[in-house]
Amino acid sequence: MDYSWLLIASILVFFMQAGFLCLESGQIRSKNSINVAAKNISDFIIAVLIYWVFGFALMFGDSLGGVLGTDLFFVGEQQSAYQISFFLFQMMFCGTAATLVSGAVAERMSFMGYLSIAAILSAFIYPVAGHWAWASNYQAANQGWLEQLGFIDFAGSTVVHSVGGWVALAAIIVIGPRIGRFDSQHALPSGSNLPMSLLGTLLIWLGWFGFNGGSTLVMNNQVPLILLNTCLAAVGGGFVASLCHYWHKRYVDVGTILNGIIAGLVAITAGCHAVTPKAAMLIGMIAGIILYFGRLWIAKLKIDDALGVVPVHLFAGIWGTLAVALFADLSVLGTDLTRSEQLFVQLIGVLVISAYSFGLSFLLLLLVNRFFPLRVSAENELLGMNISEHRASTELIDLLGAMNKQESEGKFSQPVTVEPFTEVGQIASQYNKVIKRVDSEISNRDSAINKYKSSEKRKSAILDSSMDSIVSIDLEGAIIEFNPAAERTFGYSKSMVINKNFIDLFILESDQAAVWKNLAYKFLSAQGLVRDHRNSLTLNRHLQSEFPAEITITGASFGSEIQNEFTLHIRDVTRQLKLQGKLKLLAYSDPLTGLYNRTYLMDSLTTAINRSADSDRDVVMFFLDLDRFKKINDTLGHKAGDELLCEVATRLISVTRNTDIIARWGGDEFVILFTEAVNQAFVDSKATEILKVMRQPLALEGRVISIPTSIGIATVQPGITTAEQLVQQADLAMYSAKQGGRDNYQIFKAEMGHQAARDFDHEQDMRKGIAAKDQFFMVYQPKVTADNQLVGLEALMRWQHPQEGLISPADFIPLAEESNLIIELSEFAILTVLEQIRRWLDSGYEDVTVAINITGKHLVSGTLVPYISELLTRFDIEGTAIEIEITEGVLLTDVDRCIEVMSDLKSLGIKISIDDFGTGYSSLSYLKRLPIDVLKIDKSFVDDCAISLEDGEICATIINLAINLELTTVAEGVETQEQLDFLVAHGCDTYQGYFFHKPNSAQVIEKLLQRVSTLV
């Protein structure tokens, strides 16, 4: 079967149709893929039909002058099997030539227009050019005119590929470029399915083995070399084309590789039977270069070749045809021409076929286009030719249509249809997610806009209803906003001030320069008006009326880093300042006396001390405390006490200057601060004057009293003394005055501070001593008759300090009273005395009465009577064994309460004695009511009773009073015979003092009791 190879080759070439279909469909946009595929299959149908009817006849029929054939129409009925196989092989070539045009004109030529091109090429161009070069392939003696010259195109670099390339070039010139092809801002996509294009290229490569190998017409020794050369040229073309693109663009382009392979195949087709493999590789590599730069050249000429058909098939085909003369073995060609002659003939063939193919196709296409437009409308081109030409859709087209509908209607709430398990379906699914998010964002945006509008309305309402003036100004000070409160505050309407300068209108002339400077620095300077702070400034109203204002400044940037305007929150603080003045007066004054209070005093003192450090002026403080004020307050009532404090304030004002500061420190304490013209003489004189005026009698609640006062004086040492230290020093000096007998003044000395510290230490030590129960003890001083007969004892407390030794009661008793330790000490004394009485009773010493001193605090505490009663029971002692001594001053606290407690003590059989009688404020009416048994004459009267008429009269009066009230009298501190004689002469009952006995321990007293018992 000498035709089997032709049949096999025909089938392989037919695979090229599938290859071109895959290649072109994959390299154009998906909206046109169906159209391109339909054109590929349709052009093959047209080509086969025309070629069968008359194309084969024109190409291989009996030659008419070597120009065209004249018979062999409707092939198949009279031909042999070989001839039919030859027809099938050539029919595939015709279909290949026709299908090349499809890739060039893709995406804008109408389907019917394309079929007209396929018909023109198959009927009038390809058969005629084929006759010129190949007519003898069917009948040996039937040569075309180019064949007669020696033109060689073995498998159709020019006859098939250049012819198809020239027709494609004519078509793309007639129909023009695709919309947006040469728009530098929007490059067209390179393809929709490159893997399909790769498959198509491999199918083309496979088919080309039949294309070139089958051109031998029989299986012979040339076929293997032809197939090798075909493969090497394809490899060389693809390799060099990709290198050129990488060198130019710096990345590998898949489309360039594919086109390079095909360009190599096209170029080797003309001489694959007559060149060496090396020459085949070189031909293919040069074809790759021609392809790459040819494509750049036609793009520069703005010729829109969609898939590079012209550089791949036309340019590479021309090069391959000319390369025959350059690289082929002339003996294999069998033309008996030299290489230059062969080149000349090859060039003639290329030029003639080119002129005929391009010229005729261009003219015919212009004619057809005039009556039947070859190009689709712009609308259909943008829509896609799948739909516009075939009403065919794809998943992607449907998706794009749904998206376009959403775009045109502006409705994004409805999702697009999703085809599962496809790439487009994945895109649609993701798109649905996007539009869902977009819809959500739009909803959020609309919500935000609505909220913003509502917020702006609220802000506007707040702005209008704000009680503060709100004024917005720009960087030049021009007024932008002026709310109703500002209109009321400044006396201008908004229309009167808008765009006018705020500084010129409302800032005082004296402040304008500074405010302009602040504005220039955007209110960020260190002085003057500062942003985000409360600034105080006096402003102008209408008619130049001034008012104090508080201004807070904020900046607004509107998304820019530069502050564009400023908002001034302005508050008229006229009323606030007046109120502050009143509050300051209340804050700095004492509500009872009207004097300054402690706060004002400390502020003034601090200021005065700071000034004294610079001016060397003396600052002197008088600290006054009213002596026994609490007793007067408790006795006469709080109202009387308040009247007394007001009187003190009046008297102090009367003896001070306007520059002096008088303040009530608290309770019955007053402070006077002197800062002007102060020296030592002034201090002594002023202190004496104050004491004198305070001693003046005062009628209060029906009684006439004086106001004895203790004054402590301290002077500032500039740079050393602080305000707190000065107060402390004056306070210490005042306490020194009290300890000095009250109603005097003392100037602070350093040792007073030491004494205060010592008193503090003693207070702490007393607490420890009470807890230890081994530091405090009792001594006893006998009370006797004039002939030294023992009638009783007085228990006196002593403190044996672990470091300082014996401390006088005069030192620690007052401390105990101040620190509330006195009740513990009193209970210790009662317990110790009763324990000792029990021991004496057990020793047989009966009728021993011991007097115990009790303070007023303990007397009215509520615990005294129960405590004594419990101890009397515990030790089985009669109440007549003890006597309770209280001072006369105790009676001034709460007479009724004192009488109640003393009556309870009396009910236990206990005697009551009034100690230090004559030194207090007791009245005879109180004395009559008291359930007392003994009056003790104070030692201060006894000391000079024998030599001082006044003291003697006092003692005699007290004795006579006691006799009249049937009370026993006891004289304290009898130390001389003269004192004893005077007291005896006036009828005193009992005596106590060093003239008879000193206070002694219980052991010594027990010996005295033994002697008394012996005498008895």
Side-chain angles (χ1 to χ4, degrees):
M1 294 177 62
D2 56 353
Y3 55 84
S4 60
W5 173 237
L6 276 176
L7 292 176
I8 294 172
S10 298
I11 294 172
L12 290 175
V13 175
F14 185 67
F15 272 109
M16 291 177 66
Q17 291 293 327
F20 280 115
L21 187 150
C22 293
L23 173 67
E24 295 174 6
S25 297
Q27 281 197 300
I28 53 89
R29 290 173 287 181
S30 60
K31 66 180 181 178
N32 301 308
S33 60
I34 296 175
N35 177 257
V36 169
K39 287 176 179 176
N40 270 269
I41 195 68
S42 298
D43 64 32
F44 185 74
I45 293 172
I46 295 298
V48 169
L49 180 61
I50 293 175
Y51 197 70
W52 174 69
V53 173
F54 62 87
F56 184 78
L58 294 177
M59 189 168 180
F60 292 106
D62 290 339
S63 181
L64 180 63
V67 177
L68 53 83
T70 56
D71 61 352
L72 300 178
F73 298 97
F74 299 101
V75 176
E77 293 182 1
Q78 301 177 1
Q79 283 74 27
S80 67
Y82 174 81
Q83 292 174 330
I84 292 174
S85 299
F86 180 83
F87 169 77
L88 288 174
F89 185 66
Q90 292 300 325
M91 181 181 69
M92 297 303 169
F93 274 42
C94 181
T96 300
T99 203
L100 298 179
V101 181
S102 174
V105 299
E107 299 194 317
R108 73 264 202 201
M109 177 170 274
S110 68
F111 185 77
M112 298 307 295
Y114 176 73
L115 292 183
S116 67
I117 291 177
I120 290 171
L121 187 148
S122 301
F124 306 115
I125 298 175
Y126 173 72
V128 174
H131 184 82
W132 295 349
W134 287 348
S136 66
N137 287 351
Y138 187 73
Q139 301 178 59
N142 190 36
Q143 291 186 332
W145 71 274
L146 283 178
E147 190 177 9
Q148 295 172 11
L149 294 176
F151 179 76
I152 300 297
D153 186 2
F154 178 69
S157 289
T158 292
V159 173
V160 177
H161 298 283
S162 289
V163 166
W166 283 115
V167 175
L169 178 61
I172 59 182
I173 290 175
V174 171
I175 64 176
R178 291 168 289 174
I179 296 173
R181 169 62 180 87
F182 297 108
D183 185 349
S184 59
Q185 296 181 351
H186 301 89
L188 295 178
S190 59
S192 61
N193 196 335
L194 289 180
M196 181 181 288
S197 296
L198 288 167
L199 174 62
T201 302
L202 291 175
L203 291 174
I204 292 171
W205 198 338
L206 174 65
W208 221 288
F209 289 132
F211 200 91
N212 287 352
S215 294
T216 60
L217 303 181
V218 293
M219 175 63 73
N220 57 28
N221 294 333
Q222 288 182 301
V223 172
L225 179 63
I226 290 172
L227 298 184
L228 175 61
N229 288 341
T230 299
C231 189
L232 291 176
V235 171
F239 178 71
V240 171
S242 62
L243 283 182
C244 290
H245 189 279
Y246 185 81
W247 169 77
H248 187 215
K249 299 292 186 179
R250 293 301 172 188
Y251 71 92
V252 176
D253 179 61
V254 177
T256 301
I257 297 175
L258 303 183
N259 284 340
I261 291 171
I262 298 173
L265 291 172
V266 170
I268 198 61
T269 296
C272 60
H273 68 299
V275 298
T276 65
K278 292 181 180 179
M281 174 64 75
L282 181 60
I283 290 170
M285 295 174 73
I286 294 174
I289 295 173
I290 291 173
L291 154 75
Y292 186 76
F293 289 100
R295 190 161 191 177
L296 294 178
W297 180 55
I298 65 171
K300 188 176 181 180
L301 296 175
K302 297 190 181 304
I303 296 174
D304 182 14
D305 183 355
L307 299 183
V309 171
V310 172
V312 170
H313 295 275
L314 174 57
F315 296 166
I318 292 173
W319 155 245
T321 303
L322 296 177
V324 171
L326 300 176
F327 298 104
D329 185 344
L330 297 179
S331 63
V332 175
L333 297 181
T335 59
D336 298 327
L337 298 174
T338 65
R339 196 167 294 280
S340 59
E341 291 173 340
Q342 186 67 47
L343 178 61
F344 181 71
V345 170
Q346 295 296 107
L347 184 59
I348 290 174
V350 168
L351 292 175
V352 171
I353 292 175
S354 299
Y356 174 73
S357 300
F358 178 77
L360 180 59
S361 62
F362 185 73
L363 291 174
L364 291 176
L365 289 175
L366 285 176
L367 181 62
V368 172
N369 189 52
R370 182 173 182 180
F371 297 100
F372 304 101
L374 299 175
R375 181 168 181 157
V376 298
S377 65
E379 180 182 357
N380 287 339
E381 182 179 343
L382 294 175
L383 177 63
M385 300 176 69
N386 292 349
I387 297 176
S388 64
E389 292 281 289
H390 310 291
R391 300 298 185 267
S393 182
T394 63
E395 297 171 16
L396 184 59
I397 295 300
D398 292 340
L399 174 61
L400 294 175
M403 294 167 65
N404 185 62
K405 181 179 180 182
Q406 288 181 335
E407 179 188 8
S408 60
E409 295 179 357
K411 298 179 180 179
F412 299 96
S413 58
Q414 189 68 29
V416 299
T417 303
V418 176
E419 291 291 339
F421 312 114
T422 64
E423 292 183 358
V424 175
Q426 293 178 1
I427 295 173
S429 177
Q430 187 62 35
Y431 175 75
N432 284 338
K433 293 179 182 178
V434 171
I435 62 172
K436 182 178 180 181
R437 177 64 183 271
V438 169
D439 187 60
S440 175
E441 291 297 326
I442 291 174
S443 298
N444 292 338
R445 181 198 64 184
D446 292 341
S447 176
I449 291 174
N450 291 332
K451 289 180 180 179
Y452 173 77
K453 290 179 179 178
S454 299
S455 175
E456 288 300 304
K457 290 180 180 178
R458 288 193 297 271
K459 288 179 181 178
S460 179
I462 293 171
L463 188 69
D464 291 342
S465 62
S466 173
M467 299 301 293
D468 289 342
S469 301
I470 299 177
V471 181
S472 295
I473 62 173
D474 62 17
L475 296 176
E476 301 299 326
I479 297 173
I480 302 171
E481 184 58 59
F482 203 75
N483 77 335
E487 293 179 329
R488 294 190 297 270
T489 299
F490 290 98
Y492 289 94
S493 65
K494 181 176 180 179
S495 61
M496 295 171 66
V497 299
I498 286 296
N499 296 325
K500 293 186 178 179
N501 193 277
F502 178 85
I503 298 175
D504 294 338
L505 277 177
F506 303 123
I507 302 298
L508 299 183
E509 187 175 349
S510 59
D511 296 327
Q512 287 184 2
V515 176
W516 274 116
K517 185 176 181 181
N518 294 147
L519 178 59
Y521 285 101
K522 298 181 180 179
F523 300 108
L524 293 174
S525 54
Q527 296 179 342
L529 297 180
V530 181
R531 196 190 309 177
D532 299 324
H533 285 73
R534 291 184 177 182
N535 306 275
S536 296
L537 192 67
T538 300
L539 300 178
N540 274 327
R541 299 186 206 271
H542 184 53
L543 301 178
Q544 299 301 307
S545 173
E546 298 178 4
F547 68 96
E550 181 182 270
I551 305 175
T552 302
I553 303 171
T554 57
S557 60
F558 302 109
S560 169
E561 293 183 359
I562 301 175
Q563 299 293 331
N564 301 310
E565 64 179 55
F566 302 96
T567 300
L568 281 60
H569 302 259
I570 303 170
R571 178 175 296 179
D572 184 346
V573 294
T574 303
R575 295 180 60 187
Q576 287 88 330
L577 291 180
K578 291 180 179 179
L579 181 59
Q580 286 176 5
K582 293 180 180 178
L583 293 176
K584 185 175 181 180
L585 179 63
L586 293 174
Y588 285 160
S589 64
D590 175 56
L592 176 62
T593 63
L595 300 176
Y596 291 118
N597 61 10
R598 182 184 301 190
T599 302
Y600 182 82
L601 174 74
M602 293 305 294
D603 290 346
S604 301
L605 177 58
T606 301
T607 302
I609 290 175
N610 292 336
R611 290 177 180 174
S612 69
D614 300 328
S615 61
D616 294 330
R617 293 192 305 180
D618 290 331
V619 177
V620 177
M621 174 179 284
F622 281 21
F623 200 107
L624 291 73
D625 183 90
L626 308 184
D627 296 330
R628 303 184 186 279
F629 171 77
K630 186 177 184 306
K631 294 179 180 179
I632 296 174
N633 201 31
D634 292 342
T635 303
L636 304 180
H638 291 287
K639 181 179 179 182
D642 290 346
E643 292 179 5
L644 176 61
L645 293 175
C646 292
E647 177 62 24
V648 170
T650 302
R651 294 186 181 187
L652 291 178
I653 292 172
S654 68
V655 295
T656 54
R657 304 166 299 185
N658 292 333
T659 57
D660 302 331
I661 297 174
I662 311 171
R664 184 184 175 198
W665 186 256
D668 62 339
E669 295 175 332
F670 296 83
V671 175
I672 305 176
L673 188 64
F674 300 97
T675 59
E676 300 288 342
V678 181
N679 53 38
Q680 187 59 48
F682 173 83
V683 169
D684 292 333
S685 172
K686 186 57 64 176
T688 302
E689 185 180 3
I690 292 172
L691 290 174
K692 182 179 179 181
V693 74
M694 299 297 282
R695 291 176 186 140
Q696 293 177 3
L698 169 66
L700 193 65
E701 294 293 322
R703 301 186 184 187
V704 177
I705 63 172
S706 62
I707 315 173
T709 304
S710 297
I711 304 175
I713 301 172
T715 302
V716 167
Q717 297 181 34
I720 299 176
T721 310
T722 65
E724 289 77 11
Q725 289 173 339
L726 185 67
V727 173
Q728 182 183 23
Q729 291 172 1
D731 190 35
L732 290 173
M734 182 271 292
Y735 274 104
S736 178
K738 283 187 175 295
Q739 292 172 356
R742 306 178 188 269
D743 196 24
N744 67 90
Y745 70 89
Q746 293 291 328
I747 298 175
F748 174 77
K749 299 181 181 60
E751 53 267 26
M752 293 179 181
H754 301 324
Q755 180 62 41
R758 184 170 179 269
D759 289 345
F760 180 79
D761 292 339
H762 280 173
E763 180 182 337
Q764 305 308 312
D765 292 342
M766 271 195 292
R767 296 182 185 276
K768 296 176 183 178
I770 292 172
K773 298 182 179 180
D774 60 355
Q775 296 182 20
F776 293 93
F777 62 93
M778 306 301 296
V779 296
Y780 303 88
Q781 187 174 26
K783 294 190 287 185
V784 299
T785 61
D787 55 358
N788 201 20
Q789 294 295 316
L790 181 65
V791 294
L793 301 170
E794 181 179 4
L796 302 172
M797 182 173 287
R798 297 292 184 264
W799 181 17
Q800 184 67 39
H801 193 278
Q803 284 82 35
E804 299 181 24
L806 197 62
I807 297 178
S808 170
D811 293 331
F812 73 79
I813 292 299
L815 285 178
E817 290 182 346
E818 292 178 6
S819 59
N820 293 324
L821 293 173
I822 193 63
I823 293 179
E824 292 184 59
L825 286 179
S826 295
E827 290 182 347
F828 172 79
I830 295 170
L831 175 62
T832 302
V833 168
L834 289 177
E835 286 178 341
Q836 185 59 53
I837 292 175
R838 181 70 264 172
R839 283 193 289 271
W840 283 337
L841 289 173
D842 292 343
S843 298
Y845 307 121
E846 299 182 357
D847 298 330
V848 179
T849 301
V850 181
I852 305 171
N853 290 281
I854 298 299
T855 64
K857 184 175 293 186
H858 196 185
L859 181 68
V860 297
S861 66
T863 63
L864 178 62
V865 175
Y867 183 73
I868 293 177
S869 176
E870 190 271 331
L871 290 180
L872 289 175
T873 302
R874 183 197 306 177
F875 295 113
D876 192 21
I877 299 173
E878 296 293 333
T880 56
I882 61 174
E883 179 181 307
I884 297 299
E885 287 191 10
I886 59 175
T887 60
E888 185 185 4
V890 171
L891 303 176
L892 294 178
T893 55
D894 186 348
V895 175
D896 293 334
R897 174 61 179 158
C898 290
I899 292 174
E900 180 183 352
V901 175
M902 286 190 287
S903 298
D904 292 340
L905 290 173
K906 290 286 287 182
S907 66
L908 295 176
I910 300 172
K911 291 183 178 180
I912 306 297
S913 173
I914 300 297
D915 197 8
D916 301 333
F917 188 77
T919 60
Y921 298 89
S922 298
S923 65
L924 292 179
S925 61
Y926 282 156
L927 196 59
K928 289 171 59 178
R929 295 173 54 196
L930 296 176
I932 58 176
D933 302 285
V934 180
L935 287 182
K936 296 188 71 173
I937 305 171
D938 189 70
K939 182 179 181 300
S940 61
F941 302 130
V942 173
D943 285 343
D944 296 327
C945 65
I947 59 177
S948 171
L949 180 60
E950 182 178 349
D951 289 342
E953 288 294 333
I954 291 174
C955 289
T957 301
I958 293 173
I959 294 170
N960 289 329
L961 177 63
I963 293 171
N964 292 329
L965 295 176
E966 297 180 352
L967 303 176
T968 301
T969 56
V970 178
E972 292 182 305
V974 178
E975 297 178 354
T976 65
Q977 184 64 48
E978 289 78 8
Q979 294 171 347
L980 177 60
D981 294 341
F982 178 84
L983 294 170
V984 171
H986 287 83
C988 183
D989 299 311
T990 308
Y991 310 92
Q992 183 180 348
Y994 282 12
F995 184 76
F996 297 101
H997 299 281
K998 294 180 179 180
N1000 280 303
S1001 65
Q1003 292 78 12
V1004 174
I1005 295 299
E1006 188 169 347
K1007 292 179 182 180
L1008 177 62
L1009 292 176
Q1010 288 176 356
R1011 291 197 300 270
V1012 171
S1013 178
T1014 301
L1015 292 174
V1016 173

